[in-house]
Amino acid sequence: MAATISEAHIDRGADVLIVEDESLVRMMAAEILVEAGYRTIEACDAPTALAVLERDDGIAAIFTDIEMPGMSGLALAGIVRERWPGVAILVTSGRVRPRHGEFPEGADFIPKPYNPPDLVRAVGAMIARSVRDI
């Protein structure tokens, strides 16, 4: 599995903020991305993610669940796009399938359950696209 993930990796070493209220799902996503060469920061909710973004200007991407207590991942994505336009945004959900226009311009969606190579490819593509757009 690690060879496939490494082959799919685009921007080795980029910082990815994972925002997921389910700790096991968050840890699994972090493990997948770390194996691919990313550095990860974990947040259990949107307010924590916003605090991380406020203090760390090196975040290249956020990977956020849509359904979380309090602020949804879609609301978080909107704030991130407005305040940190260079940060790539990838949203996920096992139940919600947002339609085009329901999340910020340039953001993308990957449904749960996702497999490791697809997650790595999606994050890499989002980062590559956000770097080109800057």
Side-chain angles (χ1 to χ4, degrees):
M1 179 170 81
T4 304
I5 292 173
S6 294
E7 292 166 7
H9 181 59
I10 292 175
D11 190 13
R12 182 169 297 282
D15 291 349
V16 178
L17 175 57
I18 301 167
V19 189
E20 168 67 61
D21 61 313
E22 296 289 334
S23 61
L24 292 177
V25 175
R26 186 175 63 247
M27 290 180 345
M28 181 192 72
E31 183 177 328
I32 290 166
L33 294 174
V34 165
E35 284 183 21
Y38 291 100
R39 291 182 304 269
T40 61
I41 301 162
E42 298 178 34
C44 61
D45 57 25
T48 303
L50 291 170
V52 168
L53 287 162
E54 286 286 341
R55 72 174 185 265
D56 187 344
D57 62 358
I59 303 294
I62 68 162
F63 175 49
T64 183
D65 189 22
I66 291 175
E67 294 183 296
M68 295 186 294
M71 183 187 301
S72 76
L74 291 177
L76 172 62
I79 292 169
V80 170
R81 177 57 68 233
E82 182 179 302
R83 294 178 59 192
W84 297 278
V87 172
I89 302 168
L90 181 63
V91 296
T92 189
S93 179
R95 296 190 300 180
V96 175
R97 296 291 190 264
R99 292 182 299 274
H100 183 71
E102 287 187 314
F103 46 89
E105 185 176 333
D108 209 350
F109 177 79
I110 185 171
K112 288 180 184 176
Y114 43 81
N115 65 49
D118 288 344
L119 175 59
V120 172
R121 274 191 291 275
V123 168
M126 293 302 302
I127 292 171
R129 186 168 54 206
S130 71
V131 168
R132 282 194 312 267
D133 292 345
I134 295 176

